[in-house]
Amino acid sequence: MIEYIVGHINYWLIVAIMMVGLYTLMSRSNLVKKLAGLSMFQTAVILFYVSLGKVTGGTVPIISEQYSLYSNPLPQVLMLTAIVVGVATTALGFALVIRIKEAYNSVEENEISAMDEKE
C-alpha cells in the first residue's frame, strides 16, 4: 500500500492542489481570491495531463533503432495551448475585476450583490 502511494505521489499532490484551488474558488467572496483559486485549479489540471504523458523508461519520440519505448508528446503540446488560454482568461478576469471595482468600489461578491438588490 505504501509503495502504491509513494509510486503515485505526483497524482496525490495534483489532487491536493486541485482541492485547494476548488476550496478557494468556492469559499471566498473576494473576486481576486476566486481568480487565484481558479488559476490553482487550472494549474493542477495541466500538471495532471503533463504527468500522464510521461512513460517510465520512455525517451523523446525520435525514432532510433536503439529505443523502443517512447513518451507521448501530445499532452505536453496540448497543455502549452491550455497555458496560453489560461493566462489570457486570467488577464481578462482581472480586467473585469478592475472594472467591477471602478463601478461598485468593491471586489467583495456579497457587497456587489447587495448594491445590485438596492437598485
Side-chain angles (χ1 to χ4, degrees), residues 31-32 35 90-107:
L31 296 177
V32 175
L35 282 173
T90 303
L92 179 66
F94 280 125
L96 289 173
V97 168
I98 289 170
R99 295 292 294 157
I100 290 170
K101 172 72 173 161
E102 290 172 355
Y104 291 97
N105 202 24
S106 177
V107 291

Side-chain angles (χ1 to χ4, degrees), residues 10-61:
N10 58 330
Y11 299 115
W12 293 105
L13 293 174
I14 289 168
V15 168
I17 294 169
M18 190 178 288
M19 291 302 108
V20 168
L22 184 63
Y23 175 76
T24 304
L25 182 65
M26 292 174 56
S27 67
R28 305 295 179 216
S29 67
N30 188 313
L31 296 177
V32 175
K33 291 179 182 178
K34 282 185 177 285
L35 282 173
L38 186 65
S39 181
M40 286 179 66
F41 191 87
Q42 179 183 11
T43 301
V45 171
I46 290 170
L47 285 172
F48 175 68
Y49 277 103
V50 168
S51 67
L52 284 179
K54 177 64 180 135
V55 175
T56 304
T59 185
V60 295

